[in-house]
Every structure is written in structure tokens, then in C-alpha cells.
Amino acid sequence: MLLTLTTTHRPATDLGHLLVKHPDRVHAFDVPVGTAHVFYPEAGEQRCTATLLLDVDPLKLAAARGRGRGRPAATTPESFTLGRYVNDRPYAASSLLASALSRVFRSALRGESRDRPELAASGIPLEVRVPVLRCRGGAEVATRLFTPLGWAVSATALPLDEQQPQWGDSRYVDLTLTGTLRVADALNHLYVLLPVLDDAKHYWVAPDEVDKLLRAGAGWLADHPERGLIVRRYLAHRRALAGQALERLAAQRPTDEPVADDGVDDAPTRESAPRASLAARRREAVHAALVEAGAHRVLDLGCGGGALLATLIGDRRFTEIVGTDVSTQALALAARRLRLERLPERQRNRVTLWQSALTYRDDRLRGYDAAVLMEVVEHLDPPRLPALEDAVFGHARPATVVVTTPNVEHNVRYEGLPAGAFRHADHRFEWSRAEFAGWAERVSATYGYSAVLRGVGDDDPEVGAPTQLAVFTRT
Ligand code: SAH
């Protein structure tokens, strides 16, 4: 059983960081039905492919089925027959591959990547190939299930016997999915939909399967046009469980207020207190600063996946909300996560997404009450920073500018972050409190603003809070 995941994102080898599996190594994991291997047949700058190969041991499989969570082995129809040992399970992708996927790529499924947190939160060009997938209902069902999730689907039925074309097609398809998606979304789609296509779960369906399904389906299953079919098949046609799952999904269906919290934090170690993540506290702090400033028409410059936009849309005092980013992928992700096309028209008209580079003057950005640069400045090469200062403080000139950026002094508190390393691979610099204060003072003096600085996150008496925030007010 084989599945490959390819990206052409540059550098493509970042896929190793996202999957938390080094491209130069072959990784092997014991799973209940055999051994799962992960390796990279291709790992170049331009293209990188990870392969998950599940080597099923028929004896282990028979034993695992016999254990079947409370179901006596003898009630399985196959239990007395050779079919228990000789069947297509070892060769055709199915729920076994899905379980191996969840075992092997656990943090990637949750969208976590210590080394590339932003990339993990962004859509990247992906191609998934499952050369032999058992597909009940044929290739057409695969297309119906994957297309609404943003995949281009190519599913070709495999002939029963290549030498005997008159025998027709088998139940197997060769599946290729292409799209620009987050790796976590891709893996969660596969985790749920491979067994759904197979429609023959290898284990007893227990009540906690509903939780597993809803967890993996978070953000996409509630709106999927085929959610009925997905839920019924995933829960192995147990009507009571499927009913429960569909009810819980109905409760999640979009209301006026989109909630788009990526849960991705740029801190390599999570703060130990069971508080909101640093990313959430940053959004709260920025939101509060905008409210304090009395802003109604606001710009989120370098909005990324749109997490702050979601917070702002939820607050009706913001009458016009514009998100800009240089990356079209980030904007596409934001549009998808905010579900802009599903918002009622009055709501949708409050929100606009523009592609715009912060290092160039852009007339569209003039005349707003406030602009936010949340975790953006540190992504620019220092020589490009004056161009951003001119474009934002000199040309757009909103009454208020809110800037957040890491406090580099706090990095020593992050276990696992090597001394001198930045929090993100894409950070071009990180400032100490004195450096940030110096920058704020210089920008204020040059462009006629005054700045007030504060920390965000738990304050540390020695090294300060993890995030620093400045509110610039035009004088
Ligand atoms: N503000 C968001 C995203 C921060 S990541 C948040 O806090 O969650 C930094 C973002 O800045 C990325 O989305 C990146 O595409 C964008 N960015 C980097 N350089 C930029 C530039 N020159 N112009 C516009 N956006 C830029």
C-alpha cells in the first residue's frame, strides 16, 4: 500500500519540516498491522516527494482483526476461512493506510511544524498519488469527494486484468489529486476519505470514532456536499453514530461569524499555562488597540491566512476591513477560511482582500483609520524596511498604525530553540526591546507619529514578554 505526497513549493525539501521526517533518511514505524515506512524518492530544491509505504503482515492483520475491540473474532464471517489471511488488504489503500498516516504524521495532521509554522499554515502546491485505491462506486465517487475540497482529481479505473480488457474494470482506481492546500488539510482529507472510498473498515467502529471523524473533519466536513455519504461510510453504516455525527456537524455550519483560528503559534514550545495561545493573545491585543484608537476602517497589512481578519469581522464596529498580502496563496487561504463567498452580502461587503507589496506605495491604502502590521516587519530584509516605512507611514498615513514583532530577548525561554536562532525560518531579523524602541522612535520622528510600546504574552521580569507591540498615533 503506497501513497506519495509531492510538492513544488521552493525549497521543496521544506516538505521534510512539514511532515517532521527528514528527507535524507528512511523512517520505519511499527503499526498494529505491520510496518510503515516513510522515504523520499525525490528530494530536490524544486520538487520533493515523500512516500508512505505500508507493509502489511497478513498474520498481524488477522490478529488485529481478531482483537477487534470487543467484537468476538468468531462472529467475523471471514474468521474461519483462508480469506482472513489471503485478501487484498495488504495491497490496496484503505483504512489501514489511513491509520498508518495518522500514526506516522501525527503533528503534521494537526498542522504543527516547529521549524516551518507559517508554511504549515499556508497552502502549498501539492500532488497526492495513491496508485491502487479500492474505491466503492468507482472513480466518480472519488471525484465527488475530493473536488469540493479544492483538489483537481484524476481517478482512473484499473482494469481487472490488463490482458483481458473485455473483463472490464476492477474496483480499484489510480488516484491523483493536485491542488494548493495546507499539508495538514491534505492529510486530514486522506485520513477520512481513504476509508470512506474503501467502505470497509478493518476495525470495529467504537463511539469515539465520531470524535475522531469530527476532529479530522474540522473546517471542511460540515460544509461538504457529500457529508452524508462520508459520515455513513466512515462510521461503517452504524445509523445511530452517523446520526450523532451529522447533528454535531449541523451545529458547526457557518453562521454570520466566521471563526478562523489556525491554532498555529510561532512559539516553538507552547506556553505551559492553559491560556490562549500567543497568537490568540496577539490578536486580542491588536484588536484592543484598534478599539482604543476608535478605528472603523482598518487595514491588515500582510494578513497571511486571515486569522486577525476573522476577529475583526466578528466586531461590528469595524465597517471596512481590508486584508493585503504579497502572497496570493495567503490571500486564497484567507478567502477560503473566512468563507467570504458564504457570508451574507452585507457582511461580505465589509471585507476586501488585495494583493499588495508593502515595499511599494499603493494609493488604495490611503484614507484608512488604522493599519496593522502583525508579525510582518521581521519578514523583510532590513534594507527593504525603509521602503515599507515610506509606503505605510509616509504614503498610506493612517491615523493609527499597530505593529507587533517578536522580542528576541525572550527566545532564551523557548526550550528547543538553539541559541541565536530565530523563531521562524523566514524571519530576517528579530529585535530586542531596545532595538524595537529605537526603530519606533526613528519612524515616529521621521513621519510625524508618536509611539507607545507594550508587551504581549506573559511578561518575564528578565527578558520581557514574547511579543512586542507598538501603537503609532499620527501627531
Ligand atoms: N499578519 C499575519 C501573517 C504574518 S506572516 C499573522 O500575524 O498571522 C507574514 C506575512 O507577511 C506573510 O503572509 C507574508 O506573505 C507577508 N509579507 C511578507 N513580506 C511582504 C511584503 N513585502 N508585502 C506584503 N506582505 C508581505
Side-chain angles (χ1 to χ4, degrees):
M1 255 186 255
L2 186 74
L3 177 151
T4 65
L5 182 63
T6 300
T7 187
T8 50
H9 162 85
R10 304 264 185 99
T13 43
D14 273 354
L15 186 61
H17 290 291
L18 297 176
L19 297 175
V20 202
K21 300 284 171 288
H22 199 288
D24 292 345
R25 279 183 233 132
V26 173
H27 311 256
F29 304 85
D30 277 334
V31 293
V33 297
T35 312
H37 306 271
V38 177
F39 55 92
Y40 293 74
E42 181 174 9
E45 171 86 8
Q46 303 187 3
R47 196 179 154 89
C48 180
T49 298
T51 298
L52 171 64
L53 173 75
L54 179 60
D55 198 359
V56 175
D57 175 342
L59 295 179
K60 276 193 179 174
L61 175 59
R65 288 175 146 194
R67 281 198 302 275
R69 291 207 230 158
R71 176 158 58 169
T75 63
T76 326
E78 290 164 353
S79 56
F80 302 111
T81 68
L82 199 58
R84 221 178 135 192
Y85 299 98
V86 182
N87 52 55
D88 70 355
R89 301 287 81 191
Y91 314 107
S94 72
S95 50
L96 298 179
L97 192 53
S99 330
L101 195 85
S102 77
R103 186 93 149 211
V104 170
F105 298 130
R106 193 167 296 173
S107 50
L109 271 152
R110 286 199 298 253
E112 290 170 2
S113 163
R114 207 191 65 186
D115 300 325
R116 297 286 184 277
E118 276 178 10
L119 195 58
S122 318
I124 60 171
L126 292 174
E127 181 185 306
V128 175
R129 171 122 194 268
V130 191
V132 185
L133 172 68
R134 208 168 93 132
C135 198
R136 184 157 163 246
E140 184 255 334
V141 179
T143 307
R144 260 166 48 204
L145 295 189
F146 283 103
T147 307
L149 299 172
W151 293 104
V153 181
S154 150
T156 323
L158 298 170
L160 207 49
D161 186 330
E162 277 176 12
Q163 311 299 321
Q164 310 284 346
Q166 71 279 14
W167 289 1
D169 290 336
S170 68
R171 284 178 293 180
Y172 303 93
V173 300
D174 177 347
L175 178 74
T176 305
L177 307 171
T178 40
T180 298
L181 284 95
R182 296 195 315 153
V183 165
D185 290 335
L187 295 176
N188 279 295
H189 297 161
L190 293 166
Y191 173 71
V192 173
L193 297 181
L194 292 181
V196 163
L197 288 170
D198 184 358
D199 201 20
K201 291 205 90 169
H202 67 284
Y203 53 85
W204 184 234
V205 173
D208 72 343
E209 288 298 312
V210 174
D211 293 324
K212 275 195 206 161
L213 172 62
L214 296 185
R215 219 176 302 132
W220 60 272
L221 185 53
D223 303 324
H224 197 296
E226 298 289 351
R227 61 189 172 278
L229 173 80
I230 295 171
V231 165
R232 279 194 306 277
R233 281 197 183 185
Y234 188 92
L235 295 168
H237 303 279
R238 297 266 315 258
R239 228 181 263 153
L241 294 184
Q244 261 178 41
L246 286 168
E247 246 169 57
R248 283 169 62 184
L249 284 173
Q252 291 173 11
R253 288 189 44 88
T255 58
D256 285 8
E257 251 66 276
V259 187
D261 189 341
D262 52 11
V264 174
D265 204 332
D266 64 358
T269 50
R270 303 217 159 228
E271 288 167 301
S272 51
R275 308 258 326 244
S277 71
L278 181 57
R281 291 173 76 180
R282 215 160 28 220
R283 285 196 296 276
E284 264 170 40
V286 170
H287 180 203
L290 292 173
V291 170
E292 249 171 68
H296 299 293
R297 301 178 59 243
V298 296
L299 301 165
D300 182 8
L301 305 174
C303 63
L308 177 67
L309 296 173
T311 304
L312 300 180
I313 291 170
D315 183 338
R316 286 174 203 285
R317 81 188 89 202
F318 300 110
T319 53
E320 195 180 336
I321 301 161
V322 176
T324 75
D325 206 286
V326 72
S327 151
T328 50
Q329 282 182 14
L331 293 170
L333 178 68
R336 209 166 58 235
R337 290 168 66 207
L338 296 169
R339 301 190 177 129
L340 288 185
E341 77 292 347
R342 296 219 181 97
L343 287 182
E345 200 172 324
R346 204 165 45 82
Q347 293 277 47
R348 192 173 51 225
N349 291 340
R350 291 165 64 216
V351 192
T352 320
L353 298 177
W354 287 329
Q355 188 182 20
S356 178
L358 283 162
T359 43
Y360 294 92
R361 292 181 162 205
D362 185 338
D363 289 340
R364 294 173 299 176
L365 306 185
R366 289 168 73 101
Y368 284 83
D369 299 331
V372 176
L373 288 162
M374 187 167 88
E375 307 297 287
V376 172
V377 292
E378 65 275 11
H379 289 266
L380 273 84
D381 286 321
R384 306 293 293 148
L385 214 47
L388 173 143
E389 294 159 14
D390 170 69
V392 176
F393 295 90
H395 191 69
R397 284 197 76 65
T400 304
V401 181
V402 182
V403 179
T404 78
T405 194
N407 164 19
V408 73
E409 295 165 76
H410 196 91
N411 288 4
V412 294
R413 295 288 182 262
Y414 291 135
E415 282 166 36
L417 187 66
F422 293 146
R423 297 182 198 181
H424 287 180
D426 193 44
H427 284 181
R428 309 304 158 89
F429 59 86
E430 287 176 355
W431 277 329
S432 66
R433 285 169 291 177
E435 284 167 327
F436 186 49
W439 178 77
E441 210 175 287
R442 187 175 56 72
V443 168
S444 297
T446 310
Y447 295 102
Y449 282 79
S450 69
V452 178
L453 273 57
R454 56 180 92 135
V456 180
D458 290 338
D459 195 23
D460 182 297
E462 259 173 68
V463 296
T467 294
Q468 21 191 4
L469 180 146
V471 181
F472 294 82
T473 309
R474 204 174 55 211
T475 50

